Amino acid sequence: MKQHFKTYLLAFLLLMLYSLGYGQSLKLLAPENNARFKNNRPTLVWNQIAASKYDIYIDNIKMESVEGSRNSTVPFPLSFGKHVWKVVAITKSGNITSKTGNFTIDDKPLARINEGNVLLRYNWKVKSSQEVGADGRTIASPNLDTKKWSETTLPATVLTALVRNGLYPNPYIAKNNMLIPDANDDYNREYDLLRYSHIPNKNPWIQPYWYRTEFESPKQLKNKIWWLNISEINYRAEIWLNGVKIGDKDAIVGMERSFKINVSKYLKAKGKNVLAVSIYPPDHTGKPAIEPLAPLSDPGQNMADGVISRDYTKWDVMGWDWQPAIRDRDMGITEDVFLSSTSNVELSDLYVSSKLNLPDTSFADIAITTMIQNYSNEEKKGVVNASVTFENGSVFSVNVPYSIKALEAKEILIDKNVSKLLTISNPNLWWPAGYGKPNLYTANVKLVENGNVVSEQSTSFGIRQVETYISQAERVYKINGRKIYPKGGNWVMDMMLNWNHSRYEQEILLTANANLNMLRVWGPTGVPPQALFDAADKHGILMWQDFLNDFWGTYKNTPGYQPELSLFTKASIEIVKKLRNHPSLIIWCGGNEGVNPREEVLVNTILKKYDAGDSRHYLKQSDGDGLHGGGPYHTLEPKDYFTHPKLKGFSSEIGPSGVPEYESIAYFIPTTTNDFAAERFPIDGVWAYHDANNWPGEDSRKFTSYDDMVRKYYGSVEATTENGVEAYIRKCQLVNYEVYKASIESINRQLWDTASGVLLWKSNSSWPSLTWQIYDWYLQSHAGYYGAKKASEKVHVQLNKATMSVDFISLLSTSESNIKVKATLVSATGIPFFEAEKTLNVLPDSATNTGIVIPPSKEVSFLKLEAFSATGKGIADNIYWLQENNDFTSLNVIPEPTLEVKAESAFDANRTITVTVKNSGNSVAVLAAFKVVGKQSNVELLPSLWSDNYVTMLPGETKILSVKVDNDYTLNDIKIEYKTYSSNKKTMVEVQKK
């Protein structure tokens, strides 16, 4: 007995010591040492021990503290290069420190940098001119002490550089943005933010910041002209090199502009060069609107006082109802800086256009335009060689002689009038996703003097033709003579411009994987780097680019609420030159929700001169000219999407809310508070700050419309704990799936009758948000993404929830005969109690009502829709949960299903895993969600592109899913995790070799 007592006592004491922190080991689980990432926000994971909190150090700077219940975090976007990190656990017995790990961030530059150019990415130092107390000549001279300056790589805004160095907290998380002073003094006084300034008692953003770097000159300085290229700054810049001012702030001004300065005579042949750039904030920083700090509070006026519209900058930095105000207004060096070299003669502004003689697509006429600039004091002669290739095969090569006078710039046009070779037979056309292959050609132009290539430019391009007309009430777009059904989303950039090159392609890949084919780049967010459009060209995503304007933010285009005309013109010309070779770009739009007051300049001066060769459409405004906007922006019940008066035509902005998955929310809302709205846990002030808002009065933009549906359909959350948060988010995924599916299906059924397109508001997010997205800032796709993907299939069978009738959608180019559509109603235990079948003959690009009507169901039931080809092959399926009063609370107690899951991969360059799932139990598997996770970390590896997910499966049903894994991760270190709605239990499956 005594021996047993001693054993129990020892075990108790050991348990107590462990809970106090004794005997515990803290280990870093991911990333593994020496890992390399394109992603500048790698998930950091460690083993969990008994700790009250964990402090995370990156490069010996404390970057974040997280609760002891968590063992992972996503850091603020990091600089390029190698990083060291560690975790310190705070326990009752003292601190426990992990070993130090390391990883490297590396990615392509945003700019197109040719071989031989020198990227000035690393070793930048940043400090406020208020602290430096020296002029540009001194700062751009050697031997300056910069030990106390903030270190960063480029691109980086000022606030980005300071957060990376621990001077301010991560503004993407919680209400941390309210711990950073603002550029507006009145606002700082109202919210007492100046106390957080890193420059005591001073507004840190009202004076310029110095960016400084040192670099060695390229080896071959002689016989070349060397240029300093600054791809973009915000907002003004004064530039110094080796103690000499080479750029003035009156000339280096405005976003969407690149600057190229001849620095040949300033570069040192030996030793370090010193480059210093003084970055000024926007001229009109404005005052942000009220902050939504209380639960469900008013988000304030979009674009606030609107005065920032007097500057050509990123207008959304003033805050919108989906993003907070950015404290420094994104002042900084916002794209790449590099050195390039030329001879005395240079090619520039290469423009390739094509024309089809529709409906005949058997040939295409190509036109190549380029500028030649002679920098020398003598006439130059030679040959322009223009060639086009397709998939490494030559299409044509043409030589045209040229002569150019001293210091002259002239345009060269090479078209079918110069050579009949520029008429291509049987061209490989560029098609949008779902309609064909997005074929790309490459055009190359060389200047040849005496047999030597002295300048060269190349670009990819696609052969495609855009047509558009207004039908009964809606605008219709045609590509290469075929009507296209645009389905997609409005798209915005990161609020602090922190995305790398690869992130832009990931955004396009997520769009294409969702069966969507169009993105609108919303005007006040700015113009993204070439990387986004390059990826859109490659993957067949149609692009719509707004010019800078916002009707409401400028108080209905009030005079004086626009940038100065010459600056607007210069920036707009650069935008057109930058994007005009992209076949994916089919729409230039004058303004957001209003005609651009500079429309005459845009259409009859800029586009007429710089993009006359292409067929892309100029759309006067986003909510007119054959389209309409204005939402609805609140979440409707699924049946109401089919009857709402705005859900027809071509809707440019439809906005259900899209609450992310729990794992993402835990990163940016790390703690649960007692500050939640009555009867609405967990919606608190942090939720409000992250866009779960209610606009005041009769305005329908209210997050409560979403929350009401969650609680009405699936029941309230009882526990006001972290488990309660997780339970609420699970219910949200059911709503997400249904409303995003319904929003697109409501347009599908009207195709070419009273509807022709639909764009979600929005498809992505500029920061960790709770609304208006199908995938979040962390690139995690919630259930709504897969509801939208399902609704956007080329061949689709769907339910009209308003009439309970079944429709069949075919976006195929051919007629189809003897299509069988089958509808089956099944109880929650898998027992069928209603079946109906119809056989259809369907036209190309059509929506057909099957005549099947689904009867009401008093109990929760599942409607399985299936479509079969004439040969009996399954070509589409869909599923809905139904109850005549929308009472789905019984799903909360549905028995846990029995799933048999097998994961296999060839472990090859295709990077694909096949997951076979069988529901071998007797209950329906509701929203079975699958994830790719790390073997050691058990944390999801993002982005992952699933063929289908959040699947609902009847008993006996089998599905074969596939997932493509991002190449930041090693396939051997991956497993599959899944769970269903009826159980939060996570099950892991190893990936087997095929």
Side-chain angles (χ1 to χ4, degrees), residues 372-443:
I372 306 178
Q373 172 73 56
N374 185 357
Y375 299 115
S376 74
N377 293 315
E378 58 185 29
E379 184 180 19
K380 295 286 185 179
K381 294 183 178 180
V383 171
V384 177
N385 172 259
S387 63
V388 167
T389 58
F390 178 74
E391 294 182 350
N392 299 318
S394 176
V395 178
F396 67 75
S397 180
V398 176
N399 289 323
V400 178
Y402 76 89
S403 64
I404 184 167
K405 296 177 182 178
L407 303 177
E408 183 186 10
K410 68 188 298 184
E411 184 178 84
I412 299 290
L413 170 64
I414 303 173
D415 62 7
K416 65 178 182 179
N417 296 316
V418 174
S419 171
K420 62 182 182 181
L421 293 176
L422 276 89
T423 297
I424 300 177
S425 298
N426 301 313
N428 296 281
L429 303 182
W430 186 94
W431 289 98
Y435 290 86
K437 187 177 178 182
N439 292 299
L440 291 173
Y441 289 79
T442 299

Coordinates of all heavy atoms in Angstrom, one line a residue, residues 372-443:
I372 N 13.0 53.4 -81.1 CA 14.5 53.4 -81.2 C 15.0 54.7 -80.7 O 14.5 55.8 -81.2 CB 15.0 53.1 -82.6 CG1 14.4 51.8 -83.1 CG2 16.6 53.0 -82.5 CD1 14.9 51.5 -84.6
Q373 N 15.9 54.7 -79.7 CA 16.4 56.0 -79.2 C 17.9 56.0 -79.4 O 18.6 55.0 -79.1 CB 16.2 56.0 -77.6 CG 16.9 57.2 -76.9 CD 16.2 58.5 -77.2 OE1 15.0 58.7 -77.0 NE2 17.0 59.5 -77.7
N374 N 18.4 57.1 -80.0 CA 19.8 57.3 -80.3 C 20.4 58.2 -79.2 O 20.0 59.4 -79.2 CB 20.1 57.8 -81.7 CG 21.5 57.9 -82.0 OD1 22.4 57.6 -81.2 ND2 21.8 58.3 -83.3
Y375 N 21.2 57.8 -78.3 CA 21.8 58.6 -77.3 C 23.1 59.3 -77.7 O 23.6 60.1 -77.0 CB 22.1 57.8 -76.0 CG 20.9 57.1 -75.4 CD1 20.7 55.7 -75.4 CD2 19.8 57.9 -74.9 CE1 19.6 55.1 -74.9 CE2 18.7 57.2 -74.4 CZ 18.6 55.9 -74.4 OH 17.5 55.3 -73.8
S376 N 23.6 58.9 -78.9 CA 24.9 59.4 -79.3 C 24.7 60.7 -80.1 O 23.6 61.1 -80.5 CB 25.6 58.4 -80.2 OG 25.0 58.3 -81.5
N377 N 25.8 61.3 -80.4 CA 25.9 62.6 -81.2 C 26.1 62.3 -82.7 O 26.5 63.2 -83.4 CB 26.9 63.5 -80.7 CG 26.6 64.0 -79.3 OD1 25.5 64.4 -79.0 ND2 27.6 64.0 -78.4
E378 N 25.9 61.1 -83.2 CA 26.1 60.8 -84.6 C 24.9 59.9 -85.1 O 24.3 59.2 -84.3 CB 27.4 60.1 -84.8 CG 27.6 58.9 -84.0 CD 29.0 58.3 -84.2 OE1 30.0 59.0 -84.4 OE2 29.1 57.0 -84.1
E379 N 24.7 60.0 -86.4 CA 23.7 59.1 -87.0 C 24.0 57.6 -86.9 O 25.2 57.3 -86.9 CB 23.5 59.5 -88.4 CG 22.3 58.7 -89.1 CD 22.2 59.1 -90.6 OE1 23.1 59.6 -91.2 OE2 21.1 58.8 -91.1
K380 N 23.0 56.8 -86.6 CA 23.3 55.4 -86.5 C 22.4 54.6 -87.6 O 21.3 55.0 -87.9 CB 22.9 54.9 -85.1 CG 23.7 55.4 -84.0 CD 25.1 54.8 -84.0 CE 25.9 55.3 -82.8 NZ 27.2 54.6 -82.8
K381 N 23.0 53.6 -88.2 CA 22.3 52.8 -89.1 C 22.5 51.3 -88.8 O 23.4 50.9 -88.2 CB 22.9 53.1 -90.5 CG 22.6 54.5 -91.1 CD 23.1 54.6 -92.5 CE 22.8 56.0 -93.0 NZ 23.4 56.2 -94.4
G382 N 21.5 50.5 -89.3 CA 21.6 49.1 -89.0 C 20.3 48.4 -89.5 O 19.6 48.9 -90.4
V383 N 20.1 47.3 -88.9 CA 18.9 46.5 -89.2 C 18.1 46.1 -88.0 O 18.7 45.8 -86.9 CB 19.4 45.1 -89.9 CG1 18.2 44.2 -90.1 CG2 20.0 45.4 -91.2
V384 N 16.8 46.3 -88.1 CA 15.9 45.8 -87.1 C 15.5 44.3 -87.5 O 14.9 44.1 -88.5 CB 14.6 46.6 -86.9 CG1 13.7 46.1 -85.9 CG2 15.0 48.1 -86.5
N385 N 15.8 43.4 -86.6 CA 15.4 42.0 -86.8 C 14.2 41.7 -85.9 O 14.3 41.8 -84.7 CB 16.5 41.0 -86.6 CG 16.0 39.6 -86.6 OD1 15.8 39.0 -85.6 ND2 15.8 39.0 -87.8
A386 N 13.0 41.4 -86.5 CA 11.9 41.0 -85.7 C 11.5 39.6 -86.0 O 11.4 39.2 -87.1 CB 10.7 41.9 -86.1
S387 N 11.3 38.8 -84.9 CA 11.0 37.4 -85.1 C 9.9 37.0 -84.1 O 9.8 37.6 -83.0 CB 12.2 36.5 -84.9 OG 12.7 36.7 -83.5
V388 N 9.2 36.0 -84.5 CA 8.1 35.4 -83.6 C 8.3 33.9 -83.6 O 8.6 33.3 -84.6 CB 6.7 35.8 -84.1 CG1 5.7 34.9 -83.4 CG2 6.4 37.3 -83.9
T389 N 8.3 33.4 -82.3 CA 8.3 31.9 -82.1 C 7.1 31.4 -81.4 O 6.5 32.2 -80.7 CB 9.6 31.5 -81.4 OG1 9.6 32.2 -80.1 CG2 10.9 31.9 -82.2
F390 N 6.8 30.1 -81.6 CA 5.8 29.5 -80.8 C 6.3 28.1 -80.3 O 6.6 27.3 -81.2 CB 4.5 29.3 -81.7 CG 3.4 28.6 -80.9 CD1 2.7 29.3 -80.0 CD2 3.1 27.3 -81.2 CE1 1.6 28.7 -79.3 CE2 2.0 26.7 -80.6 CZ 1.3 27.3 -79.6
E391 N 6.3 27.9 -79.0 CA 6.7 26.7 -78.4 C 8.1 26.2 -79.0 O 8.2 25.1 -79.5 CB 5.7 25.6 -78.6 CG 4.4 25.9 -77.8 CD 3.4 24.8 -77.9 OE1 3.5 23.9 -78.8 OE2 2.4 24.8 -77.2
N392 N 9.0 27.2 -79.0 CA 10.4 26.9 -79.5 C 10.5 26.7 -81.0 O 11.6 26.4 -81.5 CB 11.0 25.8 -78.7 CG 11.1 26.0 -77.3 OD1 11.4 27.1 -76.8 ND2 10.8 25.0 -76.5
G393 N 9.5 26.9 -81.7 CA 9.6 26.8 -83.2 C 9.4 28.2 -83.8 O 8.6 29.0 -83.4
S394 N 10.2 28.4 -84.9 CA 10.2 29.7 -85.5 C 8.9 29.9 -86.3 O 8.5 29.0 -87.1 CB 11.4 29.9 -86.4 OG 11.3 31.1 -87.1
V395 N 8.2 31.1 -86.2 CA 7.1 31.4 -87.0 C 7.5 32.3 -88.2 O 7.1 32.1 -89.3 CB 6.0 32.1 -86.2 CG1 4.8 32.4 -87.1 CG2 5.5 31.1 -85.1
F396 N 8.3 33.3 -87.9 CA 8.9 34.1 -89.0 C 10.0 35.0 -88.4 O 10.1 35.1 -87.2 CB 7.8 35.1 -89.6 CG 7.3 36.1 -88.8 CD1 8.0 37.3 -88.5 CD2 6.0 36.1 -88.3 CE1 7.5 38.3 -87.7 CE2 5.4 37.1 -87.5 CZ 6.2 38.2 -87.2
S397 N 10.8 35.5 -89.3 CA 11.9 36.4 -89.0 C 12.0 37.4 -90.1 O 12.1 37.0 -91.3 CB 13.2 35.6 -88.7 OG 14.3 36.5 -88.4
V398 N 12.0 38.7 -89.8 CA 12.0 39.8 -90.7 C 13.1 40.8 -90.4 O 13.3 41.1 -89.2 CB 10.6 40.5 -90.8 CG1 10.7 41.7 -91.7 CG2 9.5 39.5 -91.1
N399 N 13.8 41.2 -91.4 CA 14.8 42.3 -91.3 C 14.4 43.5 -92.0 O 14.0 43.5 -93.1 CB 16.2 41.8 -91.9 CG 16.8 40.7 -91.0 OD1 16.8 40.7 -89.8 ND2 17.5 39.8 -91.7
V400 N 14.5 44.6 -91.2 CA 14.1 45.9 -91.8 C 15.2 46.9 -91.5 O 15.6 47.1 -90.3 CB 12.8 46.4 -91.1 CG1 12.4 47.8 -91.6 CG2 11.7 45.5 -91.4
P401 N 15.8 47.6 -92.5 CA 16.8 48.6 -92.3 C 16.3 49.8 -91.5 O 15.1 50.2 -91.6 CB 17.3 48.9 -93.7 CG 16.2 48.6 -94.6 CD 15.4 47.5 -93.9
Y402 N 17.2 50.4 -90.8 CA 16.9 51.7 -90.1 C 18.0 52.6 -90.1 O 19.2 52.2 -90.3 CB 16.5 51.4 -88.6 CG 17.6 51.1 -87.7 CD1 18.3 52.2 -87.0 CD2 18.1 49.8 -87.5 CE1 19.4 51.9 -86.2 CE2 19.2 49.6 -86.7 CZ 19.8 50.6 -86.0 OH 20.9 50.4 -85.2
S403 N 17.7 53.9 -90.0 CA 18.7 54.9 -89.8 C 18.1 55.9 -88.8 O 16.9 56.2 -88.9 CB 19.1 55.6 -91.1 OG 18.0 56.3 -91.7
I404 N 18.9 56.4 -87.9 CA 18.3 57.3 -86.9 C 19.4 58.4 -86.6 O 20.6 58.2 -86.4 CB 18.0 56.6 -85.6 CG1 17.3 57.5 -84.6 CG2 19.2 55.8 -85.0 CD1 16.7 56.7 -83.4
K405 N 18.9 59.7 -86.6 CA 19.8 60.8 -86.4 C 20.3 60.9 -85.0 O 19.7 60.2 -84.1 CB 19.0 62.1 -86.8 CG 18.6 62.1 -88.2 CD 17.8 63.4 -88.5 CE 17.3 63.4 -90.0 NZ 16.5 64.6 -90.2
A406 N 21.3 61.7 -84.8 CA 21.8 61.9 -83.4 C 20.7 62.4 -82.5 O 19.9 63.3 -82.8 CB 23.0 62.9 -83.5
L407 N 20.7 61.8 -81.3 CA 19.8 62.2 -80.2 C 18.3 62.1 -80.6 O 17.5 62.7 -80.0 CB 20.1 63.6 -79.7 CG 21.6 63.8 -79.2 CD1 21.8 65.2 -78.8 CD2 21.9 62.9 -78.0
E408 N 18.0 61.3 -81.6 CA 16.6 61.2 -82.1 C 16.0 60.0 -81.5 O 16.6 59.0 -81.1 CB 16.6 61.0 -83.6 CG 15.2 61.0 -84.2 CD 15.2 60.7 -85.7 OE1 16.3 60.4 -86.3 OE2 14.1 60.8 -86.3
A409 N 14.6 60.1 -81.3 CA 13.8 58.9 -81.0 C 12.8 58.7 -82.0 O 12.1 59.7 -82.5 CB 13.1 59.1 -79.6
K410 N 12.6 57.5 -82.6 CA 11.7 57.3 -83.6 C 11.0 55.9 -83.4 O 11.5 55.0 -82.8 CB 12.3 57.4 -85.0 CG 13.3 56.3 -85.3 CD 14.1 56.5 -86.6 CE 13.2 56.6 -87.8 NZ 13.9 56.8 -89.1
E411 N 9.8 55.9 -84.0 CA 9.0 54.6 -83.9 C 9.1 53.8 -85.2 O 9.1 54.3 -86.3 CB 7.5 55.0 -83.7 CG 6.6 53.8 -83.4 CD 5.2 54.2 -83.2 OE1 4.4 54.4 -84.2 OE2 4.8 54.3 -82.0
I412 N 9.3 52.5 -85.0 CA 9.4 51.6 -86.1 C 8.1 50.7 -86.1 O 7.8 50.1 -85.0 CB 10.6 50.7 -86.0 CG1 11.9 51.6 -86.1 CG2 10.7 49.7 -87.1 CD1 12.2 52.2 -87.4
L413 N 7.4 50.6 -87.2 CA 6.3 49.7 -87.3 C 6.6 48.6 -88.3 O 7.0 48.9 -89.5 CB 5.0 50.5 -87.7 CG 3.8 49.6 -88.2 CD1 3.3 48.8 -87.0 CD2 2.7 50.5 -88.7
I414 N 6.4 47.4 -87.9 CA 6.6 46.2 -88.8 C 5.3 45.5 -88.9 O 4.9 44.9 -87.9 CB 7.8 45.3 -88.4 CG1 9.1 46.1 -88.2 CG2 8.0 44.1 -89.3 CD1 10.2 45.3 -87.6
D415 N 4.6 45.5 -90.0 CA 3.3 44.8 -90.1 C 3.2 44.2 -91.5 O 4.2 44.1 -92.2 CB 2.2 45.8 -89.8 CG 2.1 46.9 -90.9 OD1 2.9 46.9 -91.8 OD2 1.3 47.9 -90.7
K416 N 2.1 43.8 -91.9 CA 1.9 43.0 -93.1 C 2.2 43.9 -94.4 O 2.5 43.4 -95.4 CB 0.5 42.5 -93.2 CG -0.6 43.5 -93.3 CD -2.0 42.8 -93.5 CE -3.1 43.9 -93.6 NZ -4.4 43.3 -93.8
N417 N 2.2 45.2 -94.2 CA 2.5 46.1 -95.3 C 4.1 46.1 -95.5 O 4.5 46.5 -96.6 CB 2.0 47.5 -95.0 CG 0.5 47.5 -94.9 OD1 -0.2 46.9 -95.8 ND2 0.0 48.2 -94.0
V418 N 4.8 45.7 -94.5 CA 6.3 45.7 -94.6 C 6.7 44.3 -95.1 O 7.6 44.2 -95.9 CB 6.9 46.0 -93.2 CG1 8.4 45.7 -93.2 CG2 6.6 47.4 -92.7
S419 N 6.0 43.3 -94.6 CA 6.3 41.9 -95.0 C 5.1 41.0 -94.8 O 4.4 41.1 -93.8 CB 7.5 41.3 -94.1 OG 7.6 39.9 -94.4
K420 N 4.8 40.3 -95.9 CA 3.7 39.4 -95.9 C 3.8 38.3 -94.8 O 2.9 37.6 -94.5 CB 3.4 38.7 -97.2 CG 4.6 37.9 -97.7 CD 4.2 37.3 -99.1 CE 5.4 36.4 -99.6 NZ 5.1 35.9 -101.0
L421 N 5.1 38.1 -94.3 CA 5.3 37.1 -93.3 C 4.5 37.4 -92.0 O 4.3 36.5 -91.2 CB 6.8 37.0 -93.0 CG 7.7 36.4 -94.1 CD1 9.1 36.4 -93.7 CD2 7.3 35.0 -94.4
L422 N 4.1 38.6 -91.8 CA 3.4 39.0 -90.6 C 1.9 38.6 -90.6 O 1.2 39.0 -89.7 CB 3.6 40.5 -90.3 CG 4.9 40.7 -89.5 CD1 6.1 41.0 -90.4 CD2 4.8 41.8 -88.5
T423 N 1.5 38.0 -91.7 CA 0.2 37.3 -91.7 C 0.5 35.8 -91.4 O 1.1 35.1 -92.3 CB -0.5 37.5 -93.1 OG1 -0.7 38.9 -93.3 CG2 -1.8 36.7 -93.1
I424 N 0.0 35.4 -90.3 CA 0.3 34.0 -89.8 C -0.9 33.1 -90.2 O -2.1 33.4 -89.9 CB 0.5 34.0 -88.3 CG1 1.7 34.8 -87.9 CG2 0.7 32.5 -87.8 CD1 1.9 34.9 -86.4
S425 N -0.6 32.0 -90.8 CA -1.7 31.0 -91.2 C -1.9 30.1 -90.0 O -1.0 29.7 -89.3 CB -1.2 30.2 -92.4 OG -1.0 31.0 -93.5
N426 N -3.2 29.8 -89.8 CA -3.6 28.8 -88.8 C -3.0 29.1 -87.4 O -2.3 28.3 -86.8 CB -3.3 27.4 -89.2 CG -3.9 27.0 -90.5 OD1 -5.1 27.2 -90.7 ND2 -3.2 26.4 -91.4
P427 N -3.2 30.3 -87.0 CA -2.6 30.7 -85.7 C -3.2 29.9 -84.5 O -4.3 29.4 -84.5 CB -3.0 32.2 -85.5 CG -4.3 32.3 -86.3 CD -4.1 31.3 -87.5
N428 N -2.3 29.7 -83.5 CA -2.7 29.1 -82.3 C -3.3 30.2 -81.4 O -2.6 31.0 -80.8 CB -1.5 28.4 -81.6 CG -0.9 27.3 -82.4 OD1 -1.5 26.2 -82.4 ND2 0.1 27.6 -83.1
L429 N -4.6 30.2 -81.2 CA -5.3 31.3 -80.6 C -5.1 31.2 -79.0 O -5.0 30.1 -78.5 CB -6.8 31.3 -80.9 CG -7.1 31.4 -82.4 CD1 -8.6 31.4 -82.6 CD2 -6.4 32.6 -83.0
W430 N -5.2 32.3 -78.4 CA -5.2 32.4 -76.9 C -6.7 32.4 -76.5 O -7.5 33.2 -77.0 CB -4.6 33.7 -76.5 CG -4.5 33.8 -75.0 CD1 -3.4 33.5 -74.2 CD2 -5.4 34.3 -74.0 NE1 -3.6 33.7 -72.9 CE2 -4.9 34.2 -72.7 CE3 -6.7 34.8 -74.1 CZ2 -5.6 34.6 -71.6 CZ3 -7.4 35.1 -73.0 CH2 -6.9 35.0 -71.7
W431 N -7.0 31.4 -75.6 CA -8.4 31.2 -75.1 C -8.4 31.4 -73.6 O -7.4 31.0 -72.9 CB -8.9 29.8 -75.5 CG -9.2 29.7 -76.9 CD1 -8.4 29.1 -77.9 CD2 -10.4 30.1 -77.6 NE1 -9.0 29.1 -79.1 CE2 -10.2 29.7 -79.0 CE3 -11.5 30.7 -77.2 CZ2 -11.2 29.9 -80.0 CZ3 -12.5 31.0 -78.2 CH2 -12.3 30.6 -79.5
P432 N -9.5 31.9 -73.1 CA -9.6 31.9 -71.6 C -9.9 30.5 -71.0 O -10.3 29.6 -71.8 CB -10.8 32.8 -71.4 CG -11.6 32.8 -72.7 CD -10.6 32.5 -73.8
A433 N -9.6 30.4 -69.8 CA -9.8 29.1 -69.1 C -11.2 28.5 -69.3 O -12.2 29.3 -69.1 CB -9.5 29.3 -67.6
G434 N -11.2 27.3 -69.6 CA -12.5 26.6 -69.9 C -12.9 26.6 -71.3 O -13.9 26.0 -71.7
Y435 N -12.3 27.4 -72.2 CA -12.7 27.5 -73.6 C -11.6 27.1 -74.5 O -11.8 27.1 -75.7 CB -13.1 29.0 -73.8 CG -14.3 29.4 -73.2 CD1 -14.3 29.9 -71.8 CD2 -15.6 29.2 -73.8 CE1 -15.5 30.2 -71.2 CE2 -16.8 29.6 -73.1 CZ -16.7 30.1 -71.9 OH -17.9 30.4 -71.2
G436 N -10.4 26.7 -74.0 CA -9.4 26.3 -74.9 C -8.0 26.6 -74.2 O -8.0 27.0 -73.1
K437 N -7.0 26.4 -75.0 CA -5.6 26.6 -74.4 C -5.2 28.0 -74.6 O -5.4 28.7 -75.6 CB -4.7 25.7 -75.2 CG -3.3 25.6 -74.6 CD -2.4 24.7 -75.4 CE -0.9 24.7 -74.9 NZ -0.1 23.8 -75.6
P438 N -4.6 28.6 -73.5 CA -4.1 30.0 -73.6 C -2.8 30.1 -74.3 O -1.7 30.3 -73.7 CB -4.0 30.4 -72.1 CG -3.8 29.2 -71.4 CD -4.5 28.1 -72.1
N439 N -2.8 29.9 -75.6 CA -1.5 29.8 -76.3 C -0.8 31.1 -76.3 O -1.4 32.2 -76.6 CB -1.8 29.4 -77.8 CG -2.3 28.0 -77.9 OD1 -1.6 27.0 -77.5 ND2 -3.5 27.8 -78.4
L440 N 0.5 31.1 -76.2 CA 1.4 32.3 -76.1 C 2.5 32.2 -77.1 O 3.2 31.1 -77.2 CB 1.9 32.5 -74.7 CG 1.0 32.9 -73.6 CD1 1.7 32.9 -72.3 CD2 0.3 34.2 -73.9
Y441 N 2.7 33.2 -77.8 CA 3.8 33.4 -78.7 C 4.9 34.3 -78.1 O 4.6 35.0 -77.1 CB 3.4 34.1 -80.1 CG 2.6 33.2 -81.0 CD1 1.2 33.0 -80.7 CD2 3.1 32.6 -82.1 CE1 0.4 32.3 -81.6 CE2 2.3 31.9 -83.0 CZ 1.0 31.7 -82.7 OH 0.2 30.9 -83.6
T442 N 6.1 34.3 -78.6 CA 7.1 35.2 -78.1 C 7.6 36.0 -79.3 O 8.0 35.5 -80.4 CB 8.3 34.4 -77.5 OG1 7.9 33.7 -76.4 CG2 9.4 35.4 -77.1
A443 N 7.6 37.3 -79.1 CA 8.2 38.3 -80.1 C 9.5 38.8 -79.6 O 9.7 39.1 -78.4 CB 7.2 39.4 -80.4

